[in-house]
Amino acid sequence: MGIATDAIHAGCDPVPGHGAIMTPIHATSTYVQTVQEGEPGEVPYDYARTINPTRSALETNIAALEAGTHGRAFASGMAAIDAIARLCSAGDHVICGANVYGGTYRLFSQVLARQGLEFSFVDSSDPEALKSAVRDETKLIHVETPTNPMMQLTDIPAVAAIAKDAGALLCVDNTFMSPVFQRPLELGADIVVHSTTKFINGHSDSIGGALAVKDAELDARLGFLQKSAGAILSPFDSFLVLRGIKTLVVRMRAHDAAGRELAGWLNEHDKVDAVLYPGLPSHPQHELAKTQMSGFGAMISFVIQGDDLQAARRFLKALKICALAESLGGVETLISHPATMTHASVPAEDRAKLGLSDGLVRISVGLEDLEDLRDDLEQGLAAV
Ligand code: PLP
């Protein structure tokens, strides 16, 4: 099936009995069982932390979109990433992209590092650097591509080969691209993870996370962690995310068209020092982008002229349509200042090493009229 067909139908069969076309919200904590004869065995439905039909529909859907065999839905993107990291045991080593989402960096460096996992944060856009960080104990490589907010790409097939040689799992956070534009499992990754909070749900009304794999044994390990720690997505949120996914393909195409247009416009603007967008020929990894992504998406980072906090503040203050907010991937345009918002938990010296300067802003281009967005950015830049 094509991805638009899967987005609408995978996991979402009409309900037997009456044929309701929409997946119901199964608000239940448990299931009535029948008395089993003989030895106790596994029952498919026992308790709703372990399994819920609304969540299962979403999990099947996500697996189909990511060309996987199994999916798992969590209470947030961070809960999904936490479950993946918990595949490791104390003493294991994890290689993580140096420029991942600040919350991922915080979970790894401030929580899981205290519990005996070892982390190396490495520039994942450089496969050689990643390869030299591999140790005998390396069990997991976790990358985002493009990265947030520096928009650096990781060569997924190259890093998948390194992970395979090392006997480690490769997990790709595909939140920025969505499966519409990038399918990491097809490129050799073992696990793909999403903050469904973003493009997957797309309407800024739910926090959630999901992962997909292509291996039943790995799924069983993740399912065990999911039910043991219990950070599951609720039936209501599962319904919302499934509902959002039905329009994922059309939304992503519109986001991508607007993203390309605005990135080109910003790139020509004299109040903008630099634009980071993989769709621009000036992006250092534009050629790689063309090989592993089928669209460039709606995430653009750019440096305001002068590259300082005051210039960024003047710009952000003047905006009227673009909303200053953390998060991304909604129908509305969101703009953020990574140094003081999403990446404030990254130490200043590490931010400087990444090039994440005070004049950098990140925009998640929404689905408003393009002329209105351009006018809003124009008057913001005029205030710089
Ligand atoms: N991964 C990326 C790339 C993100 O941008 C975020 C949140 O912004 C997360 C993971 C965490 O997701 P959540 O906020 O749903 O826990």
Side-chain angles (χ1 to χ4, degrees):
M1 292 291 169
I3 192 164
T5 308
D6 275 341
I8 293 164
H9 295 290
C12 300
D13 293 335
V15 180
H18 48 69
I21 199 158
M22 293 309 301
T23 307
I25 302 169
H26 287 278
T28 188
S29 57
T30 193
Y31 308 92
V32 178
Q33 302 185 30
T34 49
V35 176
Q36 306 277 311
E37 299 297 336
E39 290 301 305
E42 291 253 315
V43 284
Y45 289 95
D46 51 4
Y47 188 58
R49 172 163 26 81
T50 310
I51 186 165
N52 176 282
T54 318
R55 198 176 86 225
S56 298
L58 172 63
E59 292 174 336
T60 303
N61 189 282
I62 295 269
L65 297 187
E66 284 290 2
T69 52
H70 298 77
R72 298 274 165 189
F74 292 82
S76 66
M78 288 320 306
I81 293 169
D82 183 56
I84 294 161
R86 282 174 197 275
L87 289 166
C88 300
S89 306
D92 288 348
H93 174 239
V94 178
I95 300 175
C96 179
N99 173 217
V100 289
Y101 167 61
T104 303
Y105 178 81
R106 180 176 55 205
L107 172 72
F108 288 177
S109 62
Q110 295 184 40
V111 181
L112 297 177
R114 279 197 288 110
Q115 296 172 7
L117 299 193
E118 293 197 22
F119 292 91
S120 298
F121 295 91
V122 177
D123 175 3
S124 62
S125 68
D126 176 359
E128 284 310 310
L130 211 137
K131 196 172 177 177
S132 37
V134 169
R135 302 183 200 159
D136 290 346
E137 303 78 33
T138 307
K139 292 285 162 38
L140 176 68
I141 299 178
H142 177 93
V143 297
E144 274 172 31
T145 179
T147 57
N148 173 18
M150 300 309 292
M151 305 304 290
Q152 287 168 329
L153 307 190
T154 296
D155 183 332
I156 300 175
V159 173
I162 294 168
K164 198 160 185 238
D165 281 353
L169 295 169
L170 172 62
C171 173
V172 175
D173 185 327
N174 201 23
T175 299
F176 270 31
M177 280 300 112
S178 91
V180 177
F181 294 139
Q182 181 169 271
R183 304 230 268 182
L185 297 182
E186 288 180 340
L187 297 168
D190 300 288
I191 308 173
V192 57
V193 67
H194 282 277
S195 166
T196 59
T197 313
K198 314 296 184 324
F199 291 104
I200 294 269
N201 179 52
H203 293 75
S204 307
D205 52 10
S206 161
I207 293 278
L211 57 81
V213 297
K214 53 187 177 186
D215 175 80
E217 192 263 337
L218 181 55
D219 173 65
R221 289 169 65 199
L222 287 160
F224 179 77
L225 289 161
Q226 185 189 37
K227 77 171 176 188
S228 301
I232 48 163
L233 193 65
S234 75
F236 178 64
D237 284 282
S238 299
F239 168 84
L240 278 182
V241 177
L242 267 175
R243 190 175 193 267
I245 287 176
K246 293 192 192 292
T247 56
L248 178 67
V249 176
V250 283
R251 280 189 287 107
M252 289 314 293
R253 287 183 189 144
H255 279 300
D256 180 60
R260 290 175 196 229
E261 195 64 34
L262 278 187
W265 178 79
L266 285 164
N267 204 32
E268 298 293 314
H269 204 289
D270 58 3
K271 292 281 179 69
V272 173
D273 280 352
V275 179
L276 315 178
Y277 182 71
L280 288 174
S282 56
H283 188 285
Q285 294 166 298
H286 181 59
E287 292 307 314
L288 173 62
K290 287 196 283 186
T291 66
Q292 67 181 22
M293 292 147 63
S294 57
F296 303 118
M299 300 306 301
I300 309 169
S301 294
F302 56 101
V303 180
I304 307 280
Q305 191 187 48
D307 196 8
D308 64 39
L309 191 57
Q310 291 320 317
R313 282 196 172 137
R314 278 196 292 274
F315 167 71
L316 294 167
K317 243 185 175 162
L319 296 173
K320 295 195 169 67
I321 296 174
C322 304
L324 179 68
E326 297 210 1
S327 203
L328 57 114
V331 290
E332 58 291 294
T333 296
L334 300 180
I335 202 152
S336 73
H337 184 248
T340 56
M341 296 168 71
T342 47
H343 288 64
S345 58
V346 177
E349 64 196 63
D350 291 350
R351 288 205 303 270
K353 270 191 233 151
L354 295 171
L356 201 164
S357 59
D358 286 352
L360 186 92
V361 294
R362 188 197 73 184
I363 182 164
S364 167
V365 183
L367 303 182
E368 299 94 339
D369 289 307
L370 195 60
E371 301 70 43
D372 293 337
L373 293 179
R374 214 184 280 131
D375 289 351
D376 198 30
L377 292 170
E378 181 65 65
Q379 56 99 16
L381 288 167
V384 169

